[in-house]
Amino acid sequence: MYHEIDLDNVNLSLQPPTEEPARQYYFMAKCLKWVRDFTKKNGRFPKSCVTTFGCQMNARDSEKLAGILAKIGFVETEKENQADFIIFNTCTVRENANMRVYGHLGQLTPVKKKNPHMKIALCGCMMQEPEVVEKIKKSYRIVDLIFGTHNIYKFAELLSACLESDRMVIDIWKDTDKIVENLPGERKFPFKSGVNVMFGCNNFCSYCIVPYVRGRERSREPEAVLKEIRQLASDGVVEVMLLGQNVNSYGKTLDNPCTFANLLQQIEEIEGIERIRFMTSHPKDLSDELIEVMKHSRKICRHLHLPVQSGSTEILKKMNRRYTKEQYLDLVRKLRKAVPDISLTTDIIVGFPGETEEDFEETLDVVRKVRYDSAFTFIYSKRTGTPAASMEAQVPSDVVKKRFDRLLAEVQNISAEVCAVHTGKVMPVLVESVNDHDQSLVTGRLSNNLLIHFPGDKSLIGKIVNVKLNECKGFYYLGSRTFDQSENF
Ligand code: SAH
Ligand code: SF4
Ligand code: F3S
């Protein structure tokens, strides 16, 4: 396995190899040498800080960045202003994600003045937008390294260039068809892990920037996914979260096509994996085959995140979502028939251009009909370059704000009722951590994704135990352990 490569055995007097991932291991060895020199000179290891914005895919990418930094000898710190190397893995899905990055850079400006040796890097989705890179080049000279989403696998090479240069290093690719396997990665949790199954998106929902910054859809080979999950299982991981912008279209672009349902069935066979989650599912691609597999699975969690975005067929059409309100509701009916205890969550955008009061009422109607366990609600954010940005009838912000508040109240009332239906049941819980506020409690997750707190200690972390759901507190439960059921899910 590549991640067992000993960097001390890499011969740095040779030219760097051209093939991947060997090339990146060569540059890791070079960075390791830099780290050793730093340590000798300063009497301490250099510290790194990885800050992540955005979705689970970005979080997974950050684990890969952290894995490389750890392999070359950086010590992790959570305190940005104490780090020698800071990297922001950015998101640009809504304007406020961008604002937060500029906010952090503003705060770091005086810190870097005091510590000029500090290196600051930016990567991720925001960097795929040329206007952003221009702005940083002009107004944020404290930045030392910029790269994008397509060449993240080159991190070691870019870091090596950055450590050896006093100039701003910039490397952005427009697109890629490449997937580089076998680079080192870290995991935030020992017992659960995200696993990429596909990258990019071909859907071009008219409001969304993701297809422009993440490029065209490409799936990993099923064997590569299975190999990674087998390795995770042998490292003690019991829960995997399969990640992709649209997992339901997994495998379509492979030379030997494989459906997502089929991939799930193969993952189900892997011993040691007890729970399988996935996100995100696009309603238009959710197949009967997948519903059938979910119905019979022992391991796929009873939870589906199924973004609706709007309840109005008219708006859905303008959003280029390619389903109607009725088709969405039919799909929900079909899912609930096959998997009656399934918990459904969603994403909703309020204030898409042209949204009328009637359109918004249709969204409320879907919320009332589906009765989601929870919903992420977003105010529409105009993204330059997307078709929706140039649509007429952008909705005034005071109207949007009022609709947003009404939607939020409705979603919260319903989800408090829906979540409470399990009160009194005994359910399997994967214990994730000791409770932040009360050290006598642990916090775990139900198959349906709800959190529960109950008496226990850290020896339970990573274990699946049966817990009685005594009291629902809106979005989480308080419970107590029971020992009379077999603990096997
Ligand atoms: N691929 C996933 C979601 C990716 S982005 C999917 O298709 O469901 C996560 C969520 O952000 C989206 O579901 C959408 O609700 C929201 N979103 C995307 N672009 C947005 C925009 N321009 N303004 C507001 N919300 C947006
Ligand atoms: Fe964006 Fe639509 Fe792709 Fe999701 S499916 S990432 S919302 S374009
Ligand atoms: Fe944001 Fe990029 Fe994810 S834009 S939501 S981090 S794919």
Side-chain angles (χ1 to χ4, degrees):
M1 289 288 287
Y2 267 107
H3 64 257
E4 281 148 17
I5 276 186
D6 184 351
L7 295 181
D8 282 322
N9 291 339
V10 175
N11 186 348
L12 289 176
S13 58
L14 299 176
Q15 285 299 308
T18 48
E19 77 277 14
E20 299 292 0
R23 185 175 172 87
Q24 297 313 311
Y25 282 89
Y26 175 93
F27 284 105
M28 280 179 230
K30 239 178 142 184
C31 291
L32 175 65
K33 188 172 169 304
W34 182 94
V35 166
R36 285 186 178 144
D37 291 346
F38 178 101
T39 309
K40 219 183 268 164
K41 205 164 112 200
N42 297 281
R44 65 170 179 89
F45 291 110
K47 291 184 207 161
S48 64
C49 175
V50 183
T51 302
T52 311
F53 301 89
C55 63
Q56 305 233 20
M57 261 145 295
N58 249 24
R60 183 74 190 115
D61 283 347
S62 287
E63 288 183 342
K64 295 176 187 166
L65 299 173
I68 290 172
L69 287 165
K71 183 139 181 112
I72 60 184
F74 274 86
V75 179
E76 210 179 314
T77 168
E78 280 178 7
K79 299 200 176 83
E80 259 165 36
N81 51 9
Q82 291 183 7
D84 303 287
F85 178 77
I86 304 169
I87 182 159
F88 295 102
N89 191 5
T90 64
C91 169
T92 185
V93 79
R94 287 169 292 275
E95 187 59 26
N96 55 4
N98 297 42
M99 297 322 290
R100 285 172 60 206
V101 172
Y102 293 126
H104 278 261
L105 290 178
Q107 280 172 3
L108 281 175
T109 304
V111 184
K112 176 143 179 175
K113 269 217 178 90
K114 264 193 249 152
N115 308 300
H117 79 280
M118 178 184 235
K119 296 274 185 189
I120 300 175
L122 294 169
C123 67
C125 295
M126 214 174 131
M127 300 307 124
Q128 292 296 139
E129 294 182 280
E131 318 77 75
V132 169
V133 177
E134 277 316 305
K135 178 167 171 166
I136 290 165
K137 276 188 352 203
K138 220 168 106 203
S139 312
Y140 295 94
R141 300 295 309 170
I142 59 164
V143 173
D144 300 283
L145 169 64
I146 304 179
F147 58 99
T149 55
H150 304 305
N151 54 349
I152 190 167
Y153 74 88
K154 272 181 69 182
F155 174 52
E157 184 169 353
L158 294 165
L159 176 63
S160 166
C162 167
L163 294 175
E164 281 165 19
S165 161
D166 289 330
R167 313 224 339 246
M168 198 188 269
V169 177
I170 305 180
D171 190 14
I172 313 275
W173 298 1
K174 275 208 157 62
D175 207 345
T176 186
D177 53 6
K178 212 167 171 163
I179 297 178
V180 176
E181 301 281 356
N182 295 322
L183 286 164
E186 269 209 339
R187 274 182 287 113
K188 213 169 154 202
F189 302 96
F191 53 86
K192 68 171 185 177
S193 179
V195 175
N196 296 111
V197 296
M198 61 192 299
F199 302 94
C201 180
N202 284 354
N203 285 320
F204 289 95
C205 300
S206 65
Y207 50 83
C208 184
I209 193 95
V210 171
Y212 304 88
V213 295
R214 285 270 169 179
R216 295 293 60 74
E217 190 177 295
R218 48 213 188 275
S219 298
R220 288 176 73 193
E221 290 292 337
E223 253 326 304
V225 173
L226 294 167
K227 187 172 141 205
E228 179 175 342
I229 299 179
R230 281 189 209 109
Q231 179 65 44
L232 289 170
S234 67
D235 289 349
V237 165
V238 292
E239 177 177 304
V240 286
M241 165 77 94
L242 310 178
L243 298 171
Q245 292 298 353
N246 179 13
V247 290
N248 301 119
S249 68
Y250 170 80
K252 287 183 185 161
T253 52
L254 292 171
D255 291 341
N256 293 314
C258 163
T259 62
F260 184 57
N262 189 264
L263 179 72
L264 282 170
Q265 281 172 308
Q266 296 185 64
I267 296 171
E268 177 110 11
E269 301 295 313
I270 298 176
E271 216 173 302
I273 297 298
E274 305 284 351
R275 283 180 166 186
I276 305 168
R277 300 184 187 275
F278 51 86
M279 77 185 304
T280 303
S281 290
H282 194 305
K284 80 173 164 61
D285 295 314
L286 201 138
S287 65
D288 290 346
E289 186 198 9
L290 176 63
I291 298 178
E292 203 50 30
V293 168
M294 289 180 78
K295 180 175 169 179
H296 297 291
S297 167
R298 284 178 307 107
K299 297 185 176 176
I300 299 174
C301 286
R302 292 335 202 198
H303 170 224
L304 189 70
H305 187 63
L306 196 62
V308 65
Q309 313 297 2
S310 167
S312 153
T313 296
E314 198 57 35
I315 294 292
L316 286 168
K317 198 161 171 220
K318 288 189 188 152
M319 287 178 161
N320 193 28
R321 290 290 289 179
R322 285 170 278 178
Y323 52 84
T324 63
K325 176 186 181 188
E326 286 66 37
Q327 283 167 335
Y328 184 90
L329 291 173
D330 279 347
L331 183 59
V332 167
R333 252 174 250 126
K334 236 190 320 188
L335 274 162
R336 287 228 161 104
K337 191 157 170 243
V339 191
D341 54 347
I342 196 161
S343 129
L344 292 176
T345 57
T346 201
D347 292 347
I348 301 172
I349 298 177
V350 183
F352 183 82
E355 184 188 75
T356 62
E357 177 58 24
E358 289 70 38
D359 292 320
F360 176 66
E361 293 280 345
E362 297 274 17
T363 299
L364 287 178
D365 188 48
V366 168
V367 166
R368 289 181 193 126
K369 287 202 165 101
V370 178
R371 297 180 61 76
Y372 294 104
D373 287 64
S374 73
F376 295 103
T377 50
F378 304 108
I379 286 179
Y380 167 72
S381 171
K382 192 170 166 176
R383 309 314 289 132
T384 310
T386 62
S390 50
M391 282 183 192
E392 293 188 356
Q394 304 273 335
V395 187
S397 61
D398 54 328
V399 176
V400 179
K401 180 78 182 68
K402 280 193 192 121
R403 285 183 194 159
F404 182 82
D405 291 343
R406 280 161 69 200
L407 176 67
L408 195 63
E410 193 74 43
V411 160
Q412 286 181 342
N413 287 339
I414 292 174
S415 76
E417 284 172 26
V418 173
C419 295
V421 301
H422 304 292
T423 309
K425 288 186 197 162
V426 173
M427 287 183 155
V429 171
L430 172 59
V431 181
E432 297 198 340
S433 59
V434 172
N435 189 290
D436 287 341
H437 305 291
D438 182 345
Q439 299 282 307
S440 70
L441 301 178
V442 288
T443 299
R445 206 175 281 276
L446 299 166
S447 170
N448 68 15
N449 214 31
L450 280 180
L451 290 177
I452 180 160
H453 311 292
F454 61 97
D457 60 42
K458 67 172 195 275
S459 68
L460 291 176
I461 292 175
K463 297 209 170 92
I464 295 179
V465 294
N466 281 322
V467 180
K468 185 157 184 213
L469 281 56
N470 296 328
E471 192 186 345
C472 183
K473 291 280 196 185
F475 305 103
Y476 64 91
Y477 275 96
L478 296 179
S480 51
R481 254 183 105 181
T482 60
F483 296 89
D484 52 349
Q485 313 259 325
S486 67
E487 297 185 330
N488 61 359
F489 184 72

